[in-house]
């Protein structure tokens, strides 16, 4: 069957680097780190005492205080990013078929802070169950998608994808597929996460997953550096408006880029460690290229998963060489997690956005915090260390890999017209 073409017509961002798309992008291309000592709670007794927190976010800018109290931070961030993206797109719900508009949202955890606070309050009490009536609606991972659909009266498909750190890339791919198959015209998609709290940091510390470079938070996220010691926890949300091409053209929408392919695989190897040869990562990039009907030499930039973990960075670089061969040396590769930290289920959304803006602006954001080459890596690859690089970016690929062996990759390219 002939499939529809899908374009990006709106963007929204709440990130550790800024609470608008413009601020986020400017910080990325200028190599700004979002890491700092943790302020949300007293982290002095934790192994990791810093994070990439959202800064300057004001609930009252988006909700009245009464409504804001009914939302976990992960939903607050998601709704705020969705509002930005919806306004950016120029959509008007009075002029579109709301039965053909949907919401697919990604979150790896959902309302962790709500869960932590409610259970902690119960444990400190006298055993009498006194729970907030909004405990469950604030905590469940699907609720942000529900809130967004209610806000914009979108009555089409509505659900949440949960695949750890691949969640929002899976949401984007599902939205892309529903549109190109003709099931819907518009999707609000992306993801949000808010795990910078005692439970989130304590849990990841117990796994030895986080950097413990407390003396230098801004340089702690070191993808592809010999001395990397784990990821830096981040939080926030990214939102994209995906739209069927003819639908977008008919209403005169601006178009950032075209979504052309996606891939999804499993490592089927280990609950947290990647396949040592990057097999799942290799297969997911191949699948994305096949889905897009593209050759390896048509990709100019890869925004890698690149979390700054000892095993993960090596496995991903092996996979890139396995897929792209000699073309790998012509690519720009960068890990924007070196600046944003790792937004878990929201990572795919803000990193796909980085790819879209790289394609639109012909500039590749850098990988910062590189000090020492790792002999376990092929250091002839262009990891875009230190500074952004200008180049024509015809197409970009975004990788996200999650605990449980979940892998998802999406490809965007310049919109060339009909």
């Amino acid at each position: 069957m002939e499939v529809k073409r899908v374009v990006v017509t709106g963007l929204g961002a709440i990130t550790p680097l800024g609470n608008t798309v413009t601020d986020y992008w400017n910080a990325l291309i200028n190599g700004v780190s979002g890491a700092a000592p943790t302020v949300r709670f007293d982290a002095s007794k934790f192994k990791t005492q810093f994070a990439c927190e959202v800064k300057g976010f004001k609930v009252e800018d988006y909700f009245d205080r009464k409504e804001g109290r009914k939302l976990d931070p992960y939903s607050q961030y998601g709704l705020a990013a969705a509002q930005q993206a919806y306004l950016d797109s120029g959509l008007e719900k009075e002029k579109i078929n709301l039965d053909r508009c949907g919401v697919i949202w990604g979150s790896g955890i959902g309302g962790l802070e709500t869960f932590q606070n409610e259970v902690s309050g119960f444990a400190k009490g006298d055993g009498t169950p006194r729970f907030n009536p909004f405990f469950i609606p604030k905590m469940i991972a699907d609720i942000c998608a529900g809130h967004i659909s209610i806000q914009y009266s979108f009555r089409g498909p509505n659900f949440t994808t949960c695949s750890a750190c691949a969640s929002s890339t899976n949401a984007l791919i599902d939205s892309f597929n529903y549109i190109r198959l003709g099931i819907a015209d518009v999707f609000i998609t992306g993801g949000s996460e808010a795990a910078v709290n005692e439970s989130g940091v304590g849990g990841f510390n117990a796994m030895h997953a986080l950097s413990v470079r407390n003396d230098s938070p801004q340089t702690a996220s070191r993808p592809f550096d010999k001395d990397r010691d784990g990821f830096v926890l981040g939080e926030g949300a990214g939102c994209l408006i995906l739209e069927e091409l003819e639908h977008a053209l008919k209403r005169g929408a601006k178009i950032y880029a075209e979504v052309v392919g996606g891939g999804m695989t499993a490592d089927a190897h280990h609950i947290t460690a990647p396949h040592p040869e990057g097999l799942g990562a290799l297969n997911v990039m191949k699948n994305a290229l096949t889905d897009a009907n593209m050759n390896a030499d048509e990709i100019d930039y890869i925004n890698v998963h690149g979390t700054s973990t000892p095993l993960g960075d090596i496995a991903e670089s092996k996979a890139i060489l396995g897929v792209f061969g000699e073309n790998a040396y012509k690519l720009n590769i960068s890990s924007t997690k070196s600046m944003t930290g790792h937004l878990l289920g929201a990572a795919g959304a803000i990193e796909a956005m980085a790819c879209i803006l790289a394609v639109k602006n012909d500039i590749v954001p850098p990988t910062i915090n590189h000090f020492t080459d790792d002999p376990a890596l092929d250091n002839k690859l262009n990891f875009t260390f230190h500074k952004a690089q200008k180049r024509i970016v015809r197409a970009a690929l975004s990788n996200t890999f999650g605990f449980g062996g979940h892998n998802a990759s999406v490809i965007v390219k310049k919109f060339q017209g009909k």
Side-chain angles (χ1 to χ4, degrees):
M1 63 179 290
E2 183 179 350
V3 295
K4 308 286 188 179
R5 291 172 66 184
V6 181
V7 293
V8 181
T9 58
L11 299 173
I14 302 292
T15 78
L17 302 182
N19 297 331
T20 67
V21 172
T22 298
D23 288 347
Y24 166 59
W25 177 244
N26 286 340
L28 279 187
I29 61 175
N30 285 293
V32 176
S33 171
T38 303
V39 299
R40 180 161 295 129
F41 66 96
D42 180 4
S44 60
K45 293 183 180 179
F46 288 75
K47 295 175 185 176
T48 298
Q49 299 164 11
F50 60 94
C52 285
E53 294 176 280
V54 167
K55 305 162 188 69
F57 178 78
K58 297 180 180 178
V59 173
E60 58 269 26
D61 288 346
Y62 296 93
F63 324 97
D64 67 47
R65 288 198 171 273
K66 183 178 178 181
E67 290 303 309
R69 287 196 297 269
K70 298 176 184 177
L71 302 169
D72 185 85
Y74 106 96
S75 288
Q76 293 176 357
Y77 297 156
L79 279 159
Q83 182 185 119
Q84 291 178 23
Y86 183 85
L87 292 173
D88 184 44
S89 73
L91 284 166
E92 298 176 75
K93 61 183 181 181
E94 300 80 12
K95 298 181 179 180
I96 55 179
N97 183 351
L98 297 171
D99 293 329
R100 291 183 57 82
C101 298
V103 181
I104 304 178
W105 202 250
S107 186
I109 301 175
L112 182 61
E113 187 162 309
T114 293
F115 186 86
Q116 169 193 281
N117 293 344
E118 290 293 318
V119 173
S120 176
F122 174 71
K124 291 175 182 176
D126 62 4
T128 303
R130 297 185 181 91
F131 289 94
N132 188 307
F134 290 98
F135 173 24
I136 300 302
K138 286 174 70 174
M139 179 268 297
I140 51 179
D142 71 295
I143 202 66
C144 189
H147 280 302
I148 294 169
S149 70
I150 293 167
Q151 180 72 32
Y152 300 103
S153 304
F154 280 19
R155 296 189 293 263
N158 176 244
F159 60 90
T160 288
T161 53
C162 183
S163 48
C165 305
S167 295
S168 53
T169 304
N170 281 140
L172 198 164
I173 293 169
D174 281 355
S175 301
F176 166 60
N177 284 332
Y178 274 111
I179 295 172
R180 67 174 171 170
L181 292 174
I183 296 169
D185 299 324
V186 178
F187 269 97
I188 299 174
T189 188
S192 55
E193 207 78 90
V196 181
N197 49 51
E198 292 93 331
S199 299
V201 174
F204 283 116
N205 268 162
M207 297 173 66
H208 303 286
L210 298 181
S211 171
V212 293
R213 207 177 297 276
N214 295 310
D215 58 341
S216 184
Q218 291 189 323
T219 68
S221 184
R222 302 185 178 191
F224 308 109
D225 187 88
K226 178 177 179 293
D227 298 317
R228 62 191 181 275
D229 71 330
F231 69 82
V232 177
L233 187 59
E235 62 175 356
C239 184
L240 299 84
I241 304 296
L242 298 193
E243 193 166 351
E244 192 272 322
L245 174 60
E246 295 296 335
H247 190 275
L249 292 175
K250 185 177 180 180
R251 66 180 189 88
K254 71 175 178 300
I255 294 173
Y256 284 98
E258 184 172 0
V259 183
V260 292
M264 295 177 279
T265 65
D267 277 7
H269 170 69
H270 189 271
I271 59 170
T272 57
H275 189 282
E277 298 303 315
L279 181 61
L282 182 148
N283 286 338
V284 79
M285 287 186 280
K286 282 186 174 180
N287 288 354
L289 286 167
T290 299
D291 189 47
N293 194 27
M294 293 177 71
N295 297 318
D297 62 2
E298 295 178 87
I299 301 293
D300 293 314
Y301 169 46
I302 301 177
N303 188 299
V304 290
H305 187 58
T307 55
S308 184
T309 57
L311 297 178
D313 291 2
I314 292 172
E316 188 169 12
S317 65
K318 286 180 179 178
I320 290 170
L321 286 164
V323 173
F324 290 89
E326 288 300 312
N327 287 305
Y329 301 106
K330 301 174 185 178
L331 294 165
N332 274 81
I333 298 165
S334 74
S335 171
T336 48
K337 288 186 180 74
S338 61
M339 296 172 277
T340 66
H342 192 353
L343 270 64
L344 308 178
I350 66 164
E351 290 162 15
M353 197 179 305
C355 287
I356 289 161
L357 294 170
V359 164
K360 182 177 184 292
N361 297 301
D362 289 322
I363 185 167
V364 175
T367 304
I368 66 168
N369 298 332
H370 181 72
F371 303 97
T372 308
D373 285 349
D374 184 348
L377 299 170
D378 186 337
N379 289 288
K380 294 192 295 295
L381 293 169
N382 181 4
F383 292 109
T384 322
F385 287 134
H386 310 302
K387 291 183 179 181
Q389 293 180 14
K390 293 182 178 181
R391 67 170 292 170
I392 300 298
V393 184
R394 300 165 298 169
L397 182 151
S398 180
N399 282 338
T400 47
F401 313 139
F403 285 170
H406 310 291
N407 307 304
S409 297
V410 66
I411 298 174
V412 298
K413 72 176 186 180
K414 285 188 186 299
F415 174 62
Q416 302 289 353
K418 292 177 66 177

PDB file of all heavy atoms in Angstrom, residues 258-269:
ATOM      1  N   GLU A 258      11.122  16.098   7.948  1.00  0.00           N
ATOM      2  CA  GLU A 258      10.273  14.953   7.640  1.00  0.00           C
ATOM      3  C   GLU A 258      10.773  13.735   8.412  1.00  0.00           C
ATOM      4  O   GLU A 258      11.982  13.482   8.478  1.00  0.00           O
ATOM      5  CB  GLU A 258      10.302  14.665   6.133  1.00  0.00           C
ATOM      6  CG  GLU A 258       9.373  13.543   5.707  1.00  0.00           C
ATOM      7  CD  GLU A 258       9.255  13.398   4.191  1.00  0.00           C
ATOM      8  OE1 GLU A 258       9.900  14.182   3.462  1.00  0.00           O
ATOM      9  OE2 GLU A 258       8.528  12.497   3.739  1.00  0.00           O
ATOM     10  N   VAL A 259       9.849  12.985   9.000  1.00  0.00           N
ATOM     11  CA  VAL A 259      10.189  11.707   9.638  1.00  0.00           C
ATOM     12  C   VAL A 259      10.069  10.626   8.574  1.00  0.00           C
ATOM     13  O   VAL A 259       9.033  10.519   7.910  1.00  0.00           O
ATOM     14  CB  VAL A 259       9.250  11.401  10.817  1.00  0.00           C
ATOM     15  CG1 VAL A 259       9.676  10.114  11.513  1.00  0.00           C
ATOM     16  CG2 VAL A 259       9.231  12.554  11.812  1.00  0.00           C
ATOM     17  N   VAL A 260      11.119   9.838   8.394  1.00  0.00           N
ATOM     18  CA  VAL A 260      11.122   8.906   7.267  1.00  0.00           C
ATOM     19  C   VAL A 260      11.292   7.438   7.646  1.00  0.00           C
ATOM     20  O   VAL A 260      11.077   6.560   6.808  1.00  0.00           O
ATOM     21  CB  VAL A 260      12.208   9.300   6.231  1.00  0.00           C
ATOM     22  CG1 VAL A 260      11.836  10.606   5.552  1.00  0.00           C
ATOM     23  CG2 VAL A 260      13.591   9.398   6.869  1.00  0.00           C
ATOM     24  N   GLY A 261      11.683   7.147   8.877  1.00  0.00           N
ATOM     25  CA  GLY A 261      11.856   5.741   9.222  1.00  0.00           C
ATOM     26  C   GLY A 261      12.106   5.532  10.692  1.00  0.00           C
ATOM     27  O   GLY A 261      12.575   6.429  11.394  1.00  0.00           O
ATOM     28  N   GLY A 262      11.788   4.332  11.142  1.00  0.00           N
ATOM     29  CA  GLY A 262      12.050   3.971  12.532  1.00  0.00           C
ATOM     30  C   GLY A 262      12.336   2.492  12.653  1.00  0.00           C
ATOM     31  O   GLY A 262      11.891   1.681  11.826  1.00  0.00           O
ATOM     32  N   GLY A 263      13.074   2.132  13.671  1.00  0.00           N
ATOM     33  CA  GLY A 263      13.378   0.730  13.933  1.00  0.00           C
ATOM     34  C   GLY A 263      13.256   0.420  15.411  1.00  0.00           C
ATOM     35  O   GLY A 263      13.471   1.295  16.255  1.00  0.00           O
ATOM     36  N   MET A 264      12.895  -0.821  15.727  1.00  0.00           N
ATOM     37  CA  MET A 264      12.776  -1.266  17.110  1.00  0.00           C
ATOM     38  C   MET A 264      13.286  -2.705  17.203  1.00  0.00           C
ATOM     39  O   MET A 264      12.909  -3.548  16.398  1.00  0.00           O
ATOM     40  CB  MET A 264      11.319  -1.191  17.579  1.00  0.00           C
ATOM     41  CG  MET A 264      10.758   0.224  17.637  1.00  0.00           C
ATOM     42  SD  MET A 264       9.006   0.309  18.110  1.00  0.00           S
ATOM     43  CE  MET A 264       8.219  -0.070  16.540  1.00  0.00           C
ATOM     44  N   THR A 265      14.155  -2.948  18.190  1.00  0.00           N
ATOM     45  CA  THR A 265      14.676  -4.304  18.400  1.00  0.00           C
ATOM     46  C   THR A 265      14.855  -4.555  19.892  1.00  0.00           C
ATOM     47  O   THR A 265      14.706  -3.647  20.716  1.00  0.00           O
ATOM     48  CB  THR A 265      16.048  -4.523  17.723  1.00  0.00           C
ATOM     49  OG1 THR A 265      17.030  -3.678  18.361  1.00  0.00           O
ATOM     50  CG2 THR A 265      16.004  -4.239  16.241  1.00  0.00           C
ATOM     51  N   ALA A 266      15.224  -5.786  20.220  1.00  0.00           N
ATOM     52  CA  ALA A 266      15.596  -6.148  21.589  1.00  0.00           C
ATOM     53  C   ALA A 266      16.984  -6.768  21.589  1.00  0.00           C
ATOM     54  O   ALA A 266      17.342  -7.515  20.680  1.00  0.00           O
ATOM     55  CB  ALA A 266      14.591  -7.120  22.176  1.00  0.00           C
ATOM     56  N   ASP A 267      17.751  -6.469  22.631  1.00  0.00           N
ATOM     57  CA  ASP A 267      19.043  -7.136  22.809  1.00  0.00           C
ATOM     58  C   ASP A 267      18.859  -8.615  23.157  1.00  0.00           C
ATOM     59  O   ASP A 267      19.672  -9.453  22.784  1.00  0.00           O
ATOM     60  CB  ASP A 267      19.830  -6.473  23.945  1.00  0.00           C
ATOM     61  CG  ASP A 267      20.586  -5.233  23.521  1.00  0.00           C
ATOM     62  OD1 ASP A 267      20.403  -4.788  22.376  1.00  0.00           O
ATOM     63  OD2 ASP A 267      21.351  -4.699  24.338  1.00  0.00           O
ATOM     64  N   ALA A 268      17.817  -8.895  23.958  1.00  0.00           N
ATOM     65  CA  ALA A 268      17.589 -10.261  24.454  1.00  0.00           C
ATOM     66  C   ALA A 268      18.860 -10.808  25.099  1.00  0.00           C
ATOM     67  O   ALA A 268      19.270 -11.939  24.855  1.00  0.00           O
ATOM     68  CB  ALA A 268      17.118 -11.175  23.313  1.00  0.00           C
ATOM     69  N   HIS A 269      19.467  -9.965  25.944  1.00  0.00           N
ATOM     70  CA  HIS A 269      20.773 -10.317  26.494  1.00  0.00           C
ATOM     71  C   HIS A 269      20.841 -10.184  28.008  1.00  0.00           C
ATOM     72  O   HIS A 269      21.223 -11.117  28.702  1.00  0.00           O
ATOM     73  CB  HIS A 269      21.840  -9.436  25.831  1.00  0.00           C
ATOM     74  CG  HIS A 269      23.192  -9.519  26.452  1.00  0.00           C
ATOM     75  ND1 HIS A 269      23.975 -10.652  26.378  1.00  0.00           N
ATOM     76  CD2 HIS A 269      23.901  -8.621  27.192  1.00  0.00           C
ATOM     77  CE1 HIS A 269      25.114 -10.452  27.028  1.00  0.00           C
ATOM     78  NE2 HIS A 269      25.084  -9.234  27.541  1.00  0.00           N
TER      79      HIS A 269
END
